[in-house]
Amino acid sequence: MPLKEKLMEDLKESMKSKEKVRKNVVTMVRAAIKQREVDERIELDDTDIIDIIAKQIKQKKDSIDGFEKGNRQDLIDLTNEEIKILLDYLPPQLSEEELDSIVKKAIDETGAQTKKDLGKLMALIMPQVKGKADGKLVNQIVAKYLQ
């Protein structure tokens, strides 16, 4: 089932079962999809929708930092719950070991050795892990191997 249809089904289901958080998250994702479709006058496919969801997860993770500084545990808990719901729509996330092997393979292919090669390395790795791994984590693993 296409992701768009799954989101619609989940919205209906969450309304029936009165799952407020899930309903709000799905509504937010659907609104972001609709906004992009209207702005760009295109029909989004699953890969575009995965990009939107991944971006929203990143934004929510950034928000958690602010909530921690403000000592707002209620908002931290809510945001973590929203992230969990969003992760359900992404492909299974890669483990650090899997990312490690992808990074090593990319380093072998490009011959990257210094931090100057970071951009070229990330350009090779990110399309492979799109939606399956957090860019920050990939960057940390890459930095570990470069001097």
Side-chain angles (χ1 to χ4, degrees), residues 66-93:
F67 298 149
E68 286 172 345
K69 288 177 187 156
N71 211 15
R72 294 291 309 267
Q73 191 59 44
D74 57 330
L75 294 177
I76 293 170
D77 295 341
L78 175 65
T79 307
N80 280 325
E81 190 177 339
E82 291 172 342
I83 289 171
K84 250 186 250 169
I85 292 168
L86 288 170
L87 284 171
D88 291 343
Y89 298 102
L90 291 182
Q93 298 295 292

Side-chain angles (χ1 to χ4, degrees), residues 25-70:
V25 169
V26 172
T27 302
M28 175 188 64
V29 171
R30 292 189 70 240
I33 292 167
K34 189 72 173 165
Q35 180 69 48
R36 184 146 167 232
E37 286 181 337
V38 169
D39 288 350
E40 298 177 18
R41 291 182 175 84
I42 56 170
E43 185 76 22
L44 297 180
D45 60 4
D46 281 359
T47 55
D48 295 325
I49 294 171
I50 287 172
D51 288 346
I52 289 172
I53 294 171
K55 185 176 179 185
Q56 289 184 342
I57 289 173
K58 184 179 185 318
Q59 289 171 343
K60 293 205 172 290
K61 286 181 178 177
D62 292 343
S63 299
I64 288 176
D65 294 337
F67 298 149
E68 286 172 345
K69 288 177 187 156

Side-chain angles (χ1 to χ4, degrees), residues 107 112-118 121 142-147:
I107 288 173
Q113 295 175 345
T114 65
K115 292 215 186 271
K116 289 179 184 174
D117 301 322
L118 182 73
L121 206 51
V142 168
K144 178 171 76 174
Y145 287 106
L146 301 178
Q147 275 74 14

